[in-house]
């Protein structure tokens, strides 16, 4: 028997695949019909006794569950918003802790919730440092462009340190089943992949960019740990290049569609000069709407594909993660959330936040090898929140 019948558990699509064409390390498969990913074990599909897996224990499919609701979170959100306004932002650390405690506490894995354990006073110290740097940067840029450039360069060089310190603080203050997460402070590696490689990518006209993303995701995963167990990352750089090529293809398709549409419009309406101000004025709203739609779709497509790729390439001991986000579902969630927030003048932001969190977690699962009780706690040290708050104030985004 040289072929394996691979069946998608989500839509039932199946296909016979030559066994020799299946890579030995493959752990997840993306269905070409419904585009959802699922766990795949090639060894289970063999009739050869010598290829039988030594451990016949099935991995347990443990979905992440979100139990929060918009009504509860609205109460937290409105109090946080009003107190931040009244205190000119000084309440921000307490607001962050209350928000994260709510979302962590309502996220369940194997019937146990996560905990966020940060002390707001530690966050306040970091917030004051970040606010002082931001004020210096703003005033310096206003009165001296040279000072603004120098300070901007210093902030750029500070980013790798901020990423490590922020991840260190958040991991050490996150727990599940009373076991804390941790992060290895690899500052040298952080500077290499967050400063060195991006600068080198410029000289390759961007060809190195997918590899930079791959290294940054691998850095975050491989330096994280849960108790005494370290996370691993076995996604390949080639997978990130494939996402980049498809994204670039959509960009070219968008340019072709709108360029062709404009040319066709100038042809079917006789007497219209495509270079005239009247034509440009009439066409501009359509061009802007088209540009927004193309940008929105490309952003969501790359976000969904890279998120699935990152989580599906991550393992913890013998357990693996399974992310099944879909471009269509995420597009609808983000589009309707944005529309609702605008039309409600921001009052539906809590509803949108809960809805997005629920969708993301409903499409994430842990394929657990055995019981989760075998994870053991490890001692962690208290760490400063300066990196976390500086990153927030300067808008440094480095999430999974």
């Amino acid at each position: 028997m040289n072929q394996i019948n691979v069946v998608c558990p989500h839509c039932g699509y199946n296909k016979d695949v030559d066994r020799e064409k299946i890579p030995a390390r493959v752990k997840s498969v993306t269905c070409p019909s419904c585009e959802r990913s699922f766990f795949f074990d090639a060894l289970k599909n063999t009739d050869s006794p010598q290829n039988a897996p030594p451990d016949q224990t099935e991995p347990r499919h443990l979905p992440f569950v979100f139990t929060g609701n918009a009504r509860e979170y609205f109460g937290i959100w409105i109090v946080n918003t009003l107190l931040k306004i009244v205190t000119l932002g000084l309440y921000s650390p307490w607001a962050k802790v209350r928000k994260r405690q709510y979302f962590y506490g309502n996220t369940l894995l194997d019937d146990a919730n996560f905990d966020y354990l940060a002390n707001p006073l530690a966050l306040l110290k970091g917030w004051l440092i970040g606010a002082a740097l931001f004020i210096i940067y703003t005033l310096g840029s206003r009165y001296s462009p040279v000072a603004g450039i120098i300070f901007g360069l210093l902030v750029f060089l500070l980013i790798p340190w901020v990423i490590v310190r922020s991840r260190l603080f958040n991991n050490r203050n996150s727990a599940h089943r009373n076991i804390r997460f941790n992060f290895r402070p690899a500052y040298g590696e952080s500077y290499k992949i967050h400063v060195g490689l991006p600068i080198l990518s410029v000289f390759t006209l961007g060809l190195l960019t997918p590899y930079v993303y791959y290294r940054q995701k691998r850095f975050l995963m491989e330096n994280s740990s849960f108790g005494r167990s370290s996370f691993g990352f076995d996604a390949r750089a080639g997978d990130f290049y494939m996402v980049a090529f498809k994204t670039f293809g959509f960009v070219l398709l968008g340019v072709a569609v709108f360029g062709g549409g404009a040319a066709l419009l100038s042809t079917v309406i006789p007497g219209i000069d495509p270079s005239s101000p009247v034509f440009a004025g009439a066409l501009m709203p359509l061009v802007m709407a088209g540009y927004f739609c193309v940008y929105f779709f490309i952003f969501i497509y790359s976000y969904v594909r890279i998120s699935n790729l990152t989580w599906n390439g991550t393992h913890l001991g013998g357990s693996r993660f399974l992310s099944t986000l879909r471009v269509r579902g995420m597009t609808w969630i983000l589009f309707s959330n944005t529309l609702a927030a605008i039309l409600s003048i921001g009052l539906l932001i809590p509803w949108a936040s809960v809805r997005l969190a629920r969708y993301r977690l409903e499409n994430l699962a842990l394929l657990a090898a055995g019981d989760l009780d075998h994870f053991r706690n490890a001692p962690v040290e208290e760490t400063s929140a300066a990196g976390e708050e500086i990153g927030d104030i300067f808008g440094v985004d480095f999430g999974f």
Side-chain angles (χ1 to χ4, degrees):
M1 183 177 183
N2 295 320
Q3 290 192 322
I4 295 176
N5 184 250
V6 181
V7 182
C8 174
H10 304 296
C11 68
Y13 174 86
N14 69 92
K15 183 179 180 180
D16 290 331
V17 181
D18 192 336
R19 190 190 309 278
E20 296 179 353
K21 294 182 178 179
I22 300 177
R25 59 186 296 181
V26 65
K27 294 297 182 182
S28 66
V29 174
T30 300
C31 175
S33 177
C34 66
E35 298 184 345
R36 301 180 71 177
S37 300
F38 58 91
F39 178 75
F40 177 75
D41 187 351
L43 293 176
K44 283 180 55 186
N45 294 276
T46 179
D47 294 334
S48 178
Q50 63 270 27
N51 290 330
D55 184 4
Q56 296 291 341
T57 304
E58 288 282 344
R60 291 194 303 145
H61 184 275
L62 301 178
F64 285 77
V65 177
F66 186 70
T67 60
N69 63 67
R71 180 182 299 177
E72 288 178 352
Y73 180 55
F74 180 83
I76 295 172
W77 176 82
I78 194 68
V79 171
N80 283 349
T81 302
L82 293 176
L83 286 178
K84 283 197 289 187
I85 294 173
V86 171
T87 62
L88 301 178
L90 284 173
Y91 187 74
S92 295
W94 282 268
K96 175 183 285 187
V97 170
R98 290 188 68 202
K99 175 183 176 181
R100 291 189 175 178
Q101 284 180 341
Y102 180 77
F103 279 91
Y104 277 51
N106 283 286
T107 300
L108 309 181
L109 177 64
D110 200 20
D111 296 327
N113 65 282
F114 288 78
D115 295 301
Y116 188 67
L117 309 167
N119 183 347
L121 288 177
L123 284 167
L124 177 62
K125 296 175 184 175
W127 186 87
L128 290 173
I129 295 172
L133 291 174
F134 183 76
I135 290 172
I136 294 172
Y137 170 67
T138 304
L139 293 178
S141 302
R142 182 172 182 179
Y143 294 107
S144 172
V146 175
I149 293 173
I150 293 174
F151 198 87
L153 182 60
L154 291 176
V155 170
F156 176 71
L157 294 176
L158 197 63
I159 287 176
W161 179 86
V162 167
I163 291 173
V164 171
R165 298 301 298 182
S166 175
R167 185 60 57 185
L168 199 62
F169 180 82
N170 281 318
N171 278 17
R172 289 182 176 179
N173 285 289
S174 302
H176 183 252
R177 304 161 74 97
N178 294 323
I179 299 176
R180 293 207 188 199
F181 293 82
N182 206 342
F183 191 77
R184 188 169 64 91
Y187 295 103
E189 186 181 0
S190 182
Y191 271 92
K192 177 181 176 182
I193 64 174
H194 292 107
V195 174
L197 286 180
I199 291 176
L200 188 61
S201 179
V202 174
F203 295 100
T204 65
L205 301 178
L207 291 176
L208 199 63
T209 302
Y211 179 73
V212 176
Y213 271 100
Y214 159 72
R215 288 296 305 272
Q216 290 177 349
K217 298 297 182 185
R218 198 178 86 177
F219 171 78
L220 290 177
M221 290 301 187
E222 288 188 339
N223 287 295
S224 296
S225 58
F226 177 60
R228 299 180 186 276
S229 302
S230 298
F231 285 85
F233 189 67
D234 55 15
R236 298 168 299 180
D239 298 327
F240 283 78
Y241 272 96
M242 188 59 68
V243 173
F245 289 147
K246 290 183 178 179
T247 303
F248 186 63
F250 283 122
V251 172
L252 294 180
L253 181 62
V255 172
V257 168
F258 285 101
L264 180 64
L265 194 61
S266 64
T267 302
V268 298
I269 304 178
I272 292 291
D273 179 6
S275 62
S276 69
V278 175
F279 182 80
L283 196 61
M284 188 56 68
L286 291 176
V287 172
M288 293 300 295
Y291 174 79
F292 173 77
C293 290
V294 171
Y295 176 81
F296 193 67
F297 174 78
I298 290 173
F299 166 77
I300 294 174
Y301 176 83
S302 59
Y303 169 78
V304 167
R305 293 294 182 238
I306 290 177
S307 293
N308 285 344
L309 190 56
T310 302
W311 280 114
N312 293 337
T314 301
H315 57 88
L316 178 62
S319 303
R320 300 194 66 86
F321 291 90
L322 178 62
S323 177
T324 56
L325 291 176
R326 302 185 68 184
V327 176
R328 188 190 311 166
M330 185 61 81
T331 300
W332 169 242
I333 291 283
L334 291 182
F335 175 76
S336 53
N337 277 0
T338 303
L339 195 62
I342 293 173
L343 295 178
S344 66
I345 322 175
L347 289 176
L348 284 179
I349 287 177
W351 172 79
S353 301
V354 167
R355 191 162 168 250
L356 179 60
R358 179 175 291 115
Y359 177 74
R360 292 174 64 179
L361 291 169
E362 283 178 349
N363 286 279
L364 183 63
L366 179 69
L367 303 172
D371 202 294
L372 298 186
D373 290 337
H374 72 275
F375 289 107
R376 292 290 177 266
N377 211 347
V380 296
E381 300 175 358
E382 294 294 329
T383 187
S384 164
E388 163 69 5
E389 291 303 290
I390 292 172
D392 265 7
I393 290 174
F394 283 90
V396 179
D397 184 13
F398 40 84
F400 288 153

